[in-house]
């Protein structure tokens, strides 16, 4: 294993007990942190002048079903504008309790990115102001980027939602009624 | 209370704008709360073009993902190809040949010109400046012809391969580019005269959709939107990939972060991209366009049909896919709309375990409601146009 970069060494001293693992594969610095007090950890990344990771590039997750325990990993990519350095932060999340802290208090951009992770992986973000599905629709069953979600599964059409105060065309109402009859059990 | 001034009762109205609104190019819905024409709140609904890009990639071999990447930002497909190929190459630990690196830069910059012309032309025509819009589409067509000559396709080009590109540049490419750029420059100067001091255009763009530098960073915005606020961040300069460090170009910056600055940054980037292409065409060295590694690159067709080793090699790569060592990488390139990042996870097999794209315009759309709150309904059109939301990339 190669020598740790100065940033990783500094992080190890700074967050000694919060860090589970560090490595640098192909020059990508990666640290794995505990999910307890996650928001505080990220506040350190952002506000410590020696780190200054002030730019949240991306949030995503990986499902390691049957490969690793715990099953999920939430992956954050941070960038330091003043220092021109990237850092990958990974947080293991168990299947039984898929919850991590939301980073929306630190970066506004976390809002949609976390909604997408919830939508695709079913990982909840504690303290998120508006955790709804984003790319899929409310009636969708399951979380498609989980490895146990079949790739060829079809989900039924959902009836048109009625929104209070909106005008509904008679023709589409008839269509809606027909669709409801079709979807009703025994129909 | 002053008896002479009677406030009229104000009623807020809910309006759903979209998902297919004639003045927005892109399938997206804005759930607006209006007070008269003033936007009180805007909830953006995306996902109409979601087709499961990441899930599809997990079913395909590493090479078969390249056509899927074309369909992300379909205004600049080559940049997506290049970004993905560079990420896979980083994961394998190889570097392409010098000539291939130059070709990738040339094609990426042509795609960027195409992307910016689409964005600026469409926005101009949506604001009524339809002549300028047509001029830019004409310029775009010239670039599209070059792309067609090189790749054989106009939109879904699939030009880049892991370890190289599909084939070399065609004969007479430099002359074709030179001719096209001469006309593009003339068209752009016409557009400049039509738009830069146009009262209607300025009134609808200047000061609209403005966002501060701090807010732009908090939202993770990149590309022309971030640079219009004055933050000097371009992946081509901050982390030079390919041969961008050998080429001389500038990063145009704005000051106010409004729609007009975004427009000007894009227009100036067009000139810089043309400069890059011209320099690269002068510097491009001769040589092969793919690396020589039978475990990554498909053999020549003569070898496939003429020898058993070539045939086996071909089938191994097609059926099993390229073997990529286990690990994970993040690689970012500067796309038309900002930092286009690929986060790849490999489990050592022939297929990707996870492909994640960092979509620049998805992140820009998350800041949209902040840009538009408190402004007029009509301001949605230029602001949305200058974000340049591309459904294929936003919704994946």
């Amino acid at each position: 294993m190669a020598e740790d970069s100065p940033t990783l060494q500094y992080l190890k001293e700074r967050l000694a007990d919060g860090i589970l693992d560090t490595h640098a594969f192909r020059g990508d610095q990666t640290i794995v942190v505990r999910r307890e007090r996650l928001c505080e950890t990220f506040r350190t990344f952002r506000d410590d002048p020696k780190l200054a990771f002030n730019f949240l590039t991306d949030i995503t997750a990986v499902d390691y079903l049957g490969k690793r325990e715990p099953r999920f990993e939430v992956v954050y990519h941070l960038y330091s504008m003043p220092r021109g350095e990237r850092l990958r932060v990974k947080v293991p999340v168990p299947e039984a309790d898929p919850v991590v802290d939301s980073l929306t208090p630190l970066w506004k951009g976390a809002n949609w990115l976390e909604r997408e992770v919830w939508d695709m992986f079913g990982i909840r973000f504690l303290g998120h102001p508006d955790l709804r599905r984003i790319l899929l629709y409310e009636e969708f069953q399951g979380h498609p980027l989980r490895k146990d979600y079949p790739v060829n599964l079809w989900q039924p059409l959902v009836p048109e939602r009625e929104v209070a105060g909106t005008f509904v065309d008679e023709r589409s109402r008839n269509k809606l009624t027909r669709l409801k009859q079709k979807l009703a059990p025994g129909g | 209370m002053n008896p002479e001034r009677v406030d009229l009762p104000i009623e807020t109205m809910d309006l759903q704008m979209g998902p297919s609104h004639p003045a927005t190019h892109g399938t997206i819905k804005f759930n607006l709360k209006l007070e008269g024409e003033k936007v009180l709140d805007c909830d953006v609904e995306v996902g109409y073009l979601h087709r499961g890009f990441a899930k599809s990639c997990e079913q395909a071999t590493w090479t078969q993902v390249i056509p899927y990447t074309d369909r992300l930002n379909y205004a600049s497909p080559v940049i997506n190809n290049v970004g993905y190929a560079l990420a896979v190459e980083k994961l394998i630990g190889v570097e392409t040949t010098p000539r291939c690196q130059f070709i990738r830069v040339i094609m990426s910059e042509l795609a960027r010109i195409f992307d910016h012309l689409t964005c600026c032309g469409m926005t101009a025509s949506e604001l009524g400046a339809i002549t300028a819009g047509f001029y830019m589409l004409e310029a775009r067509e010239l670039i599209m012809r070059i792309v067609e000559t090189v790749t054989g396709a106009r939109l879904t080009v699939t030009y880049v391969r892991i370890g190289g590109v599909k084939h070399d540049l065609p004969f007479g490419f430099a002359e074709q580019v030179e001719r096209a750029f001469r006309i593009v420059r003339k068209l752009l100067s016409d557009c400049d005269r039509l738009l830069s001091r146009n009262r209607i255009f300025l009134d609808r763009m200047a000061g609209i959709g403005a966002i501060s530098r701090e807010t732009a960073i908090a939202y993770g915005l990149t590309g022309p939107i971030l640079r219009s606020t004055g933050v000097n961040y371009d992946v081509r300069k901050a982390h030079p990939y390919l041969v961008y460090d050998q080429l001389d170009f500038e990063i145009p910056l704005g000051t106010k972060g409004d729609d007009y600055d975004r427009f000007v940054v894009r227009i100036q980037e067009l000139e810089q991209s043309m400069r890059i292409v011209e320099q690269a065409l002068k510097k491009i060295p001769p040589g092969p366009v793919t690396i020589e590694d039978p475990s990554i690159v498909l053999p020549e067709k003569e070898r496939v049909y003429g020898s058993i080793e070539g045939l086996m090699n071909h089938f191994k790569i097609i059926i099993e896919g390229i073997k990529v060592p286990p690990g994970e990488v993040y690689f970012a390139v500067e796309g038309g709309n900002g930092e286009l990042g690929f986060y790849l996870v490999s489990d050592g097999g022939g297929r990707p375990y996870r492909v994640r794209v960092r979509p620049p315009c998805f992140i820009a759309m998350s800041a949209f409601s902040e840009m538009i709150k408190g402004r007029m309904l009509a301001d949605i059109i230029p602001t949305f146009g200058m974000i340049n939301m591309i459904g294929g990339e936003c919704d994946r």
Side-chain angles (χ1 to χ4, degrees):
Chain A
M1 191 89 198
E3 184 90 345
D4 276 344
S5 69
T7 309
L8 287 186
Q9 278 178 5
Y10 178 74
L11 275 170
K12 272 185 183 167
E13 288 164 24
R14 182 74 210 267
L15 299 162
D17 56 334
I19 294 183
L20 297 168
D21 186 23
T22 62
H23 64 261
F25 177 72
R26 304 267 189 246
D28 285 6
Q29 311 178 74
T30 307
I31 70 168
V32 186
V33 298
R34 283 179 207 285
R35 70 172 164 149
E36 288 81 29
R37 295 163 39 82
L38 190 70
C39 214
E40 290 308 303
T41 316
F42 274 90
R43 198 181 291 277
T44 315
F45 293 153
R46 190 187 69 171
D47 295 341
D48 188 322
K50 276 192 178 166
L51 298 168
F53 287 105
N54 61 339
F55 192 85
L56 176 71
T57 311
D58 195 19
I59 303 177
T60 186
V62 187
D63 177 5
Y64 290 104
L65 177 66
K67 285 181 184 280
R68 278 187 206 175
E69 203 52 52
R71 177 176 168 186
F72 296 107
E73 253 177 16
V74 182
V75 184
Y76 301 84
H77 285 98
L78 299 179
Y79 181 68
S80 165
M81 286 248 171
R83 298 190 306 121
E85 203 174 289
R86 291 190 195 284
L87 178 72
R88 184 184 303 134
V89 184
K90 301 206 287 182
V91 185
V93 180
E95 187 183 354
D97 175 33
V99 179
V100 285
D101 281 357
S102 169
L103 295 190
T104 40
L106 299 175
W107 287 284
K108 288 176 182 169
N111 188 323
W112 275 31
L113 292 166
E114 287 176 353
R115 276 176 71 186
E116 193 187 331
V117 173
W118 155 246
D119 195 356
M120 294 292 155
F121 289 93
I123 296 170
R124 292 201 152 270
F125 289 88
L126 212 63
H128 191 287
D130 181 27
L131 198 65
R132 286 176 292 149
R133 286 190 183 270
I134 187 158
L135 292 178
L136 298 167
Y137 44 95
E138 283 165 38
E139 294 86 350
F140 193 88
Q141 303 284 320
H143 301 280
L145 280 186
R146 288 188 171 194
K147 289 283 176 186
D148 51 6
Y149 186 92
V151 69
N152 52 358
L153 186 71
W154 283 82
Q155 300 224 2
L157 285 173
V158 289
E160 199 174 329
R161 267 176 241 142
E162 285 201 62
V163 184
T166 50
F167 166 77
V168 179
D169 190 349
E170 253 338 283
R171 281 166 300 175
S172 79
R173 190 187 292 283
N174 291 345
K175 220 157 70 182
L176 182 73
T177 322
R178 277 203 302 277
L179 193 62
K180 271 182 183 160
Q181 282 167 354
K182 214 165 126 188
L183 289 177
Chain B
M1 195 178 156
N2 185 355
E4 287 178 11
R5 215 186 114 230
V6 181
D7 283 326
L8 291 169
I10 296 167
E11 208 178 308
T12 62
M13 179 169 79
D14 293 325
L15 183 78
Q16 303 187 23
M17 186 174 165
S20 187
H21 191 272
T24 61
H25 53 273
T27 320
I28 190 164
K29 196 165 94 178
F30 305 108
N31 296 323
L32 301 165
K33 208 170 263 305
L34 299 174
E35 185 190 282
E37 271 198 85
K38 202 173 139 198
V39 179
L40 296 181
D41 194 14
C42 172
D43 177 36
V44 184
E45 224 176 288
V46 296
Y48 288 93
L49 238 61
H50 181 66
R51 56 208 182 280
F53 169 80
K55 194 82 177 172
S56 312
C57 289
E58 289 166 15
Q59 318 302 318
T61 63
W62 289 95
T63 320
Q64 283 168 343
V65 172
I66 293 174
Y68 293 139
T69 63
D70 282 338
R71 284 132 179 102
L72 288 171
N73 184 343
Y74 36 74
S76 50
V78 181
I79 302 182
N80 308 330
N81 285 181
V82 169
Y84 172 74
L86 284 170
V88 179
E89 283 160 16
K90 182 178 175 187
L91 194 49
I92 303 174
V94 291
E95 204 174 52
T96 47
T97 60
R99 185 173 176 83
C100 169
Q101 298 204 8
F102 273 94
I103 294 178
R104 284 181 178 182
V105 166
I106 292 168
M107 294 308 289
S108 297
E109 292 309 313
L110 287 175
R112 191 182 321 281
I113 296 172
F114 188 92
D115 192 294
H116 286 356
L117 282 172
T118 314
C119 170
C120 296
M122 283 312 196
T123 308
S125 68
E126 277 157 12
L127 296 183
I130 202 155
T131 316
F134 282 149
Y135 284 1
M136 287 195 198
L137 287 193
E138 192 185 335
R140 195 182 81 154
E141 181 60 27
L142 292 166
I143 305 296
M144 186 112 100
R145 293 242 175 93
I146 303 175
V147 173
E148 197 180 359
T149 325
V150 178
T151 66
R154 285 164 70 86
L155 217 59
T156 50
V157 295
T158 321
Y159 180 56
V160 178
R161 296 287 182 274
I162 295 158
V165 290
K166 192 169 132 205
H167 47 63
D168 209 336
L169 298 172
F171 182 72
F173 177 75
E175 291 76 41
Q176 191 188 1
V177 170
E178 196 196 319
R179 263 200 314 277
F181 279 6
R182 211 166 42 227
I183 307 172
V184 170
R185 285 202 168 102
K186 193 179 164 297
L187 286 165
L188 282 177
S189 81
D190 283 349
C191 291
D192 184 47
R193 283 208 298 281
L194 279 169
L195 295 175
S196 300
R197 286 181 299 281
N198 182 328
R199 177 72 198 278
I200 301 171
F201 188 72
L202 279 172
D203 279 358
R204 292 207 56 189
M205 297 284 274
I208 307 298
I211 201 164
S212 74
R213 194 176 289 196
E214 291 71 33
T215 320
I217 290 180
Y219 271 105
L221 303 183
T222 47
I225 305 175
L226 180 67
R227 290 194 287 275
S228 74
T229 65
V231 180
N232 190 352
Y233 177 66
D234 186 312
V235 186
R236 292 174 294 172
K237 282 275 189 208
H239 300 276
Y241 52 96
L242 295 171
V243 288
Y244 278 112
D245 49 347
Q246 299 172 31
L247 302 165
D248 174 37
F249 63 102
E250 280 154 27
I251 305 297
L253 295 178
T255 48
K256 297 195 198 80
D258 59 357
D259 288 343
Y260 188 67
D261 276 14
R262 287 169 205 159
F263 181 82
V264 173
V265 164
R266 280 202 170 90
I267 292 288
Q268 290 182 352
E269 274 183 20
L270 287 173
E271 179 54 35
Q272 297 302 324
S273 292
M274 286 193 269
R275 274 182 65 201
I276 294 174
V277 174
E278 284 162 346
Q279 289 174 49
L281 279 172
K282 283 203 187 80
K283 282 188 175 173
I284 186 166
V289 292
T290 50
I291 50 170
E292 300 238 349
D293 187 339
S295 64
I296 298 172
V297 180
L298 282 174
E300 293 285 327
K301 280 287 171 285
E302 292 89 75
R303 285 196 55 229
V304 178
Y305 296 127
S307 72
I308 186 70
E309 292 80 13
L311 191 69
M312 277 161 65
N313 188 352
H314 181 91
F315 270 98
K316 278 289 223 191
I317 291 184
I318 295 289
I319 308 271
E320 291 175 6
I322 298 167
K323 292 282 179 295
V324 172
E328 51 184 340
V329 289
Y330 177 81
F331 193 86
V333 293
E334 182 70 24
N337 292 330
E339 179 175 330
L340 177 76
F342 283 91
Y343 171 62
L344 306 177
V345 180
S346 167
D347 60 351
R351 285 159 208 274
Y353 191 74
R354 172 99 174 90
V355 177
R356 156 76 182 170
V357 186
R358 178 204 189 265
C361 61
F362 176 80
I363 290 159
M365 277 321 290
S366 73
F368 185 77
S369 76
E370 179 123 353
M371 289 178 194
I372 207 68
K373 238 178 240 177
R375 297 195 174 273
M376 304 292 267
L377 180 60
D379 294 341
I380 288 180
I381 307 303
T383 309
F384 179 68
M386 276 298 122
I387 284 180
N388 194 19
M389 201 264 326
I390 306 281
E393 180 185 270
C394 184
D395 302 343
R396 280 151 293 138

